Every structure is written in C-alpha cells, then in structure tokens.
Amino acid sequence: GYLDILEARLAERSFVLGDKFSLVDLIIACGVAYGAMCGIPLDRHERVAKWLSVCQSRASFKNEWGGGA
C-alpha cells in the first residue's frame, strides 16, 4: 500500500523529496496523520512513524492543524 511505498522512500532519504523538509512532506504528513487519527496503524512502518513525528513537530504542520502560534 501507500505506507509501504512511503516507508521504502524514507529508507533512502530523510524526507519525501530528499534531505530537506518541503511542502510535499507537509501535504503527505497531513494525510498520514489523519489516517492514523482514524485508526490506521503505523506500527509496521517505523520510518513513516518517525518521519511523521518530525513533521508534526514543525511549525508549518502545527499551523495546518490549528496548533500554531
């Protein structure tokens, strides 16, 4: 599935497009976070879970989810 593809991609780089956070990460992270909130488990996707945590700590993600300053 899509999480398997993302897991494989994150095995080769820190973020979806390379070593820097981008708008692509923000968009995909919002979708993955919503899926996790709806009950889709991430326990088989360690890299995705770690990447999501990093994305969620960024101000841009917090702003999208209403938690920014």
Side-chain angles (χ1 to χ4, degrees):
Y2 293 115
L3 290 176
D4 294 324
I5 294 168
L6 184 56
E7 182 77 11
R9 189 152 185 98
L10 293 171
E12 301 168 356
R13 54 191 56 105
S14 300
F15 295 100
V16 176
L17 296 180
D19 292 330
K20 294 182 180 180
F21 182 81
S22 72
L23 180 60
V24 172
D25 293 286
L26 176 61
I27 293 167
I28 295 174
C30 285
V32 172
Y34 183 75
M37 192 172 74
C38 291
I40 296 174
L42 298 179
D43 55 339
R44 291 184 344 163
H45 302 93
E46 288 182 33
R47 289 181 185 95
V48 172
K50 180 180 176 187
W51 164 83
L52 181 59
S53 178
V54 169
C55 292
Q56 288 174 319
S57 71
R58 299 186 64 95
S60 55
F61 185 94
K62 292 176 185 177
N63 288 338
E64 286 299 311
W65 283 75

